[in-house]
Amino acid sequence: MSTPYPFTALVGQEDLRLALLLNAVSPAVGGVLVRGEKGTAKSTAVRALSALMPEVDVVSGCRFSCDPASPDPGCPDGPHETGASGSRPARMVELPVGASEDRLVGALDIERALAEGVKAFEPGLLADAHRGILYVDEVNLLHDHLVDLLLDAAAMGASYVEREGVSVRHASKFLLVGTMNPEEGELRPQLLDRFGLTVEVAASREPDQRVEVVRRRLAYDDDPAGFAGRWADEESAVRARIVAARDLLPEVRLGDGALRQIAATCAAFEVDGMRADIVMARTATALAAWAGRTDVLAEDVRQAALLALPHRRRRAPFDAPGLDEDKLDETLEEFGGQDGDEGDRDEGGDDDPDPDPGGGPGGGPGGQPEPDDAPRVDGEPAAQPESGEDREGGEPQPSGGGGGGGGEQTPARAAEPFRTKVLSVPGLGEGAAGRRSRARTEHGRTIGARRPRGALTKLHLAATVQAAAPHQRARGRGGPGLVVRRDDLRQASREGREGNLVLFVVDASGSMAARQRMSAVKGAVLSLLLDAYQRRDKVGMVTFRGSAADVALPPTSSVDAAAVRLESLPTGGRTPLAAGLLKAHEVLRVERLRDPARRALVVVVTDGRATGGPEPVALASRAARLFGADGVASVVVDCESGPVRLGLAGQLAGELGGTAVTLDELRADSIAGLVKDVRSSGQNSGQSSRRAA
């Protein structure tokens, strides 16, 4: 077994270390979510924590780690004899992102269950993690069906395995710790709320601290055992402090004043439900025990809020988690000092009615609202005549007070997002689980049965019985049991939904900015991004303007990153539509090699114009037909406005083999209909649809 990096040898990352230690003192806090950029010791810190956890007493021979003092009466290995106990180190169980459902919850031997009527059960990771740590690296990339199982186990403290009337239940209470890089996508709100605390980590910008990090890491890599030995005394001291804090925890008093501050803080930040109040109370109590105190002070409440509320407060879509510390201090001051001992910073318990809950100038800029005086495009004259090439010709010019469509414009603010119609890929896919297009999945409604390929995961009971029934006499059946062979087993075929790659191809040329439509266009794309987030899609973005196209965002699961790129998108110059389409086609080609099962949906946001270079319209037409030939599902969001419409976006949609919608028709509440599937239009669409399926 490899020697873990010592917890006490970590450099910096005070919030991360404190959050992990508080959970070691009080596992009821509910775990930690660690958010941060890559290479910031997230995984190293979590793995180091397991070495500090006190040993646990277990029933000897129990695969489910029952506590000898109160064994689980429903344990599959029970009933347990009294006195048969031992101790072992607390486990840290890692859940891989690509784990199967059977590996997480355990597996039943279906053949023995049907033929012999016995519950032959092999425990999974949820059983291994009972009374220990369940660690999920890159938790934001975990598949939805595994997230659902984690939510159930975390809520009920037990894991249930149900297979065609055969049921197994066992206790599963664990400390849930997850790490993630927000650039790769966010967590579902339901799972986010299950983490008691959250911390943001980033690499230090101090040269001396970075030097020390490198020095220690190199020393550990050269001699892990020797490096750990040099930190053994510090590790033992922290381990002893954890044990002492655990013993002190039942004696810590959470007074009415601290409870009022907790309740007022949660109300002020408009968190949903009551879980935040409970987590804050447990965290403040653990902070007091860690400090060796029996009373909870205002400083404990403040620190608890900074750890427990950032990921729970209500925020607009694509806003990063955070907490306004000035507002926090004001709330604590307003509701502080109600019963005397919560307000004072000194451990002596002075009855000062006017405490200083902020602990000095601790307020920071986090969570401050964005100023309203940011430059906008909307202020340009609306009635200026447009002359096509005159508006778009030439190189981009710096923006100035005169406005105009030819030069580069100041980035426009996105309009308010709205609920969009459902855009889906035709046919039946087999991609990653999601919520957009029809697909064959492990979860969903049963549509048939087939012979299993590999291990049987979802038994189709009726089809299995039907396959075995004709052979019972030949197999010598003499009793009530059904004689089942491996060849009789049938796998249930299920239909659910998959996530797609939604690739946005956005026209950022001068023709879009001159007509003052970019704010509405950005609002529409932002709305589609929000829809993609809710449907578990990957997203990418290609923009074109001037004389070329750029990959503004390679395909990623981070919809937030796409929203940030969209907000700062500049406009101006000619309209190289062909370049944008060719760039998008290349992105899809590369992504198809990386993830061949994930189907693509191309969303082209343009007015359909093509300018610049020789024969721009013909080039754009040829580029568009590549998508139709490949059977790629596409939709054109027509941004053309005004009383006279050229219909160029509709022509482009026909050449793409897709369909066109206006900005107004994109809204879910449009009178044009509630749902619009992306299907190939016209008589030539059949072949493309069959290829996409």
Side-chain angles (χ1 to χ4, degrees), residues 306-446:
L306 293 174
L307 293 173
L309 296 189
H311 61 302
R312 290 189 169 92
R313 70 172 181 84
R314 289 187 181 179
R315 58 186 191 272
F318 310 120
D319 284 353
L323 213 61
D324 184 342
E325 295 191 30
D326 290 338
K327 181 178 179 180
L328 173 61
D329 290 336
E330 292 172 3
T331 304
L332 293 176
E333 183 176 2
E334 180 180 355
F335 290 90
Q338 298 297 317
D339 62 306
D341 55 346
E342 269 73 24
D344 195 2
R345 297 288 176 149
D346 297 325
E347 297 183 19
D350 186 8
D351 294 334
D352 185 0
D354 296 311
D356 177 17
Q368 292 294 328
E370 192 174 89
D372 292 332
D373 57 352
R376 298 173 180 267
V377 174
D378 300 350
E380 289 186 318
Q384 290 189 4
E386 299 173 16
S387 58
E389 294 297 323
D390 292 338
R391 288 287 178 185
E392 298 184 346
E395 295 299 321
Q397 300 296 322
S399 59
E408 182 173 326
Q409 307 290 319
T410 303
R413 287 282 191 89
E416 193 70 21
F418 52 85
R419 190 166 62 91
T420 67
K421 294 178 180 178
V422 181
L423 306 175
S424 60
V425 179
L428 195 63
E430 294 184 346
R435 300 178 182 176
R436 183 171 296 278
S437 305
R438 295 172 55 231
R440 299 181 183 92
T441 61
E442 289 294 321
H443 300 270
R445 65 185 182 93
T446 301

Side-chain angles (χ1 to χ4, degrees), residues 104-240:
L104 178 61
V105 301
L108 286 169
D109 189 332
I110 300 296
E111 288 186 74
R112 291 190 62 192
L114 286 174
E116 304 174 27
V118 298
K119 296 180 180 179
F121 179 69
E122 183 67 27
L125 296 178
L126 289 179
D128 294 341
H130 181 45
R131 304 177 65 203
I133 302 172
L134 181 62
Y135 172 48
V136 189
D137 193 14
E138 305 293 351
V139 64
N140 51 327
L141 303 182
L142 199 63
H143 291 169
D144 271 2
H145 68 283
L146 298 182
V147 170
D148 293 336
L149 294 170
L150 275 183
L151 289 173
D152 290 342
M156 297 183 292
S159 175
Y160 292 84
V161 183
E162 302 285 349
R163 293 289 171 83
E164 316 302 334
V166 181
S167 176
V168 173
R169 173 215 166 272
H170 64 83
S172 182
K173 297 180 180 179
F174 46 83
L175 176 62
L176 182 61
V177 180
T179 56
M180 60 174 282
N181 183 350
E183 294 178 355
E184 297 173 340
E186 286 291 346
L187 279 179
R188 285 169 53 183
Q190 296 92 332
L191 182 57
L192 194 63
D193 190 49
R194 287 294 174 185
F195 287 97
L197 311 179
T198 184
V199 291
E200 297 276 347
V201 296
S204 172
R205 299 297 183 259
E206 293 293 331
D208 291 342
Q209 196 171 79
R210 296 175 73 98
V211 166
E212 186 61 25
V213 169
V214 175
R215 182 181 290 117
R216 293 186 186 183
R217 186 69 209 191
L218 293 177
Y220 170 77
D221 291 340
D222 289 342
D223 183 10
F227 183 82
R230 291 195 291 274
W231 291 89
D233 292 341
E234 288 82 354
E235 293 282 286
S236 297
V238 173
R239 192 178 297 110

Side-chain angles (χ1 to χ4, degrees), residues 411-649:
R413 287 282 191 89
E416 193 70 21
F418 52 85
R419 190 166 62 91
T420 67
K421 294 178 180 178
V422 181
L423 306 175
S424 60
V425 179
L428 195 63
E430 294 184 346
R435 300 178 182 176
R436 183 171 296 278
S437 305
R438 295 172 55 231
R440 299 181 183 92
T441 61
E442 289 294 321
H443 300 270
R445 65 185 182 93
T446 301
I447 59 173
R450 58 176 174 81
R451 291 182 180 273
R453 296 190 292 266
L456 178 71
T457 56
K458 297 291 183 182
L459 178 74
H460 195 295
L461 183 58
T464 299
V465 173
Q466 187 176 8
H471 308 289
Q472 296 305 296
R473 181 175 297 178
R475 293 172 183 175
R477 172 184 169 184
L482 189 69
V483 181
V484 179
R485 303 274 174 85
R486 173 70 187 176
D487 291 343
D488 301 327
L489 298 179
R490 294 296 182 267
Q491 175 86 22
S493 297
R494 301 192 175 189
E495 181 181 304
R497 294 282 171 176
E498 67 176 358
N500 299 114
L501 167 61
V502 182
L503 181 62
F504 294 93
V505 185
V506 182
D507 184 349
S509 65
S511 67
M512 302 288 284
R515 295 167 187 164
Q516 303 179 16
R517 296 193 306 268
M518 207 59 198
S519 178
V521 168
K522 284 187 175 183
V525 177
L526 194 64
S527 303
L528 290 167
L529 283 171
L530 180 58
D531 181 69
Y533 166 73
Q534 295 169 342
R535 300 185 186 280
R536 321 321 262 182
D537 295 316
K538 291 180 71 173
V539 297
M541 187 182 300
V542 172
T543 63
F544 56 94
R545 57 185 288 270
S547 59
D550 297 311
V551 180
L553 183 73
T556 176
S557 297
S558 178
V559 180
D560 288 351
V564 171
R565 304 290 174 88
L566 178 70
E567 189 67 27
S568 59
L569 179 66
T571 59
R574 294 182 181 273
T575 312
L577 178 57
L581 295 174
L582 290 174
K583 181 69 72 173
H585 190 267
E586 176 64 16
V587 170
L588 291 182
R589 186 190 67 80
V590 174
E591 191 63 20
R592 196 176 294 119
L593 297 175
R594 295 174 178 170
D595 191 357
R598 188 181 292 268
R599 297 186 296 164
L601 169 62
V602 177
V603 180
V604 185
V605 186
T606 182
D607 57 7
R609 298 182 65 187
T611 61
E615 299 184 345
V617 176
L619 286 174
S621 178
R622 287 199 293 269
R625 286 195 288 271
L626 293 174
F627 291 86
D630 288 345
V632 177
S634 59
V635 61
V636 177
V637 179
D638 185 359
C639 303
E640 191 175 28
S641 63
V644 179
R645 296 174 178 264
L646 302 178
L648 298 176

